[in-house]
Amino acid sequence: MKYGIVGSSGRMGRELIEVFGPENCVATISLEDETILDSPEVIVDFSRPEALKRTLEVCREYRSALVLGTTALTEDHMVQVKELAQSVAVVQGYNFSVGIGVLRMILRQYAPALSEWDVEISETHHIHKVDAPSGTAITLKKEVGRDCPTHSLRMGGVPGDHSVSFANEGEVLTLTHRAISRKVFAMGALQAARFAIGQQPGLYDFEEVVSCALKR
Ligand code: NAD
């Protein structure tokens, strides 16, 4: 698979190149540099919202599928992503770990049964993370199906911890996901890239990739 990375010099970019294999990397885009050696089948963007304009241009020019992991995208950005998805397959997600995909499914199914309980979400990430709350916390809140307090900690080198706690007067139920290393997101992005290359144009959520993998 010939691929390109947007955000290639970043923490996730370096991890992605290691997991996808440096030999098939035909394009790298970052603040420092842009190199396109060949036509990428898929572009993988884990960078900043400001890079999206160039990402969309490159996907259009080479008809590349897109795996989009950048967080803090606005509604306007998503309108532009949906426009691209009319001509190529786009897999977007604020968390490319399988465990969070499964946690989302659990919450969607069982949170309604706890609608009378208090619920709060907490997330911890490394001190370099720019946005808060995390895109994943925002997604989990949507799955809970009601507004609830969200707490963000920025400490050390934590790749990403998320907890959803429910409580009533007599009991507490906490569901926690911990990413032990960034590699897990890169491996999810690789699954998403393989999925995207075989798909019709459209906007796919990473959860669809997880569902396909669970059915196998
Ligand atoms: P980082 O700061 O280490 O790297 C950012 C990269 O983006 C750098 O290569 C930088 O040069 C590049 N960049 C910044 N602005 C740019 C621009 N205008 N044009 C081109 N390139 C630009 O960040 P990181 O920790 O690697 O995280 C990158 C993104 O991935 C963040 O949005 C983060 O929240 C997200 N992320 C998503 C997941 C997921 O599963 N979806 C997991 C981890 C991180």
Side-chain angles (χ1 to χ4, degrees), residues 55-75:
T55 296
L56 299 178
E57 284 170 3
V58 172
C59 289
R60 282 210 175 84
E61 184 174 346
Y62 296 97
R63 300 194 59 77
S64 316
L66 174 62
V67 173
L68 181 56
T70 299
T71 59
L73 298 173
T74 62
E75 276 180 28

Side-chain angles (χ1 to χ4, degrees), residues 95 100 120-126 129-138 140 149-155 158-165 175-177:
N95 195 305
I100 287 287
E120 303 216 355
I121 295 173
S122 61
E123 52 103 349
T124 306
H125 281 86
H126 55 88
K129 185 165 177 64
V130 180
D131 48 318
S134 67
T136 305
I138 294 167
L140 294 176
T150 304
H151 311 279
S152 300
L153 279 75
R154 295 289 172 263
M155 301 168 71
V158 180
D161 294 352
H162 292 87
S163 289
V164 184
S165 292
L175 300 165
T176 297
H177 177 268

Side-chain angles (χ1 to χ4, degrees), residues 12 52 93 147:
M12 275 307 301
L52 185 68
D147 200 20

Side-chain angles (χ1 to χ4, degrees), residues 41-61:
E41 291 167 84
V42 59
I43 292 289
V44 184
D45 179 340
F46 281 67
S47 61
R48 291 275 175 271
E50 305 80 79
L52 185 68
K53 185 169 175 284
R54 183 65 187 134
T55 296
L56 299 178
E57 284 170 3
V58 172
C59 289
R60 282 210 175 84
E61 184 174 346

Side-chain angles (χ1 to χ4, degrees), residues 129-194:
K129 185 165 177 64
V130 180
D131 48 318
S134 67
T136 305
I138 294 167
T139 306
L140 294 176
K141 190 192 281 200
K142 280 189 195 138
E143 302 298 3
V144 165
R146 58 188 153 122
D147 200 20
C148 63
T150 304
H151 311 279
S152 300
L153 279 75
R154 295 289 172 263
M155 301 168 71
V158 180
D161 294 352
H162 292 87
S163 289
V164 184
S165 292
F166 296 88
N168 66 11
E169 288 297 325
E171 48 188 317
V172 176
L173 173 63
T174 300
L175 300 165
T176 297
H177 177 268
R178 302 198 72 187
I180 291 163
S181 98
R182 278 185 191 90
K183 190 172 182 181
V184 77
F185 306 124
M187 287 165 65
L190 179 59
Q191 264 183 288
R194 288 183 177 138

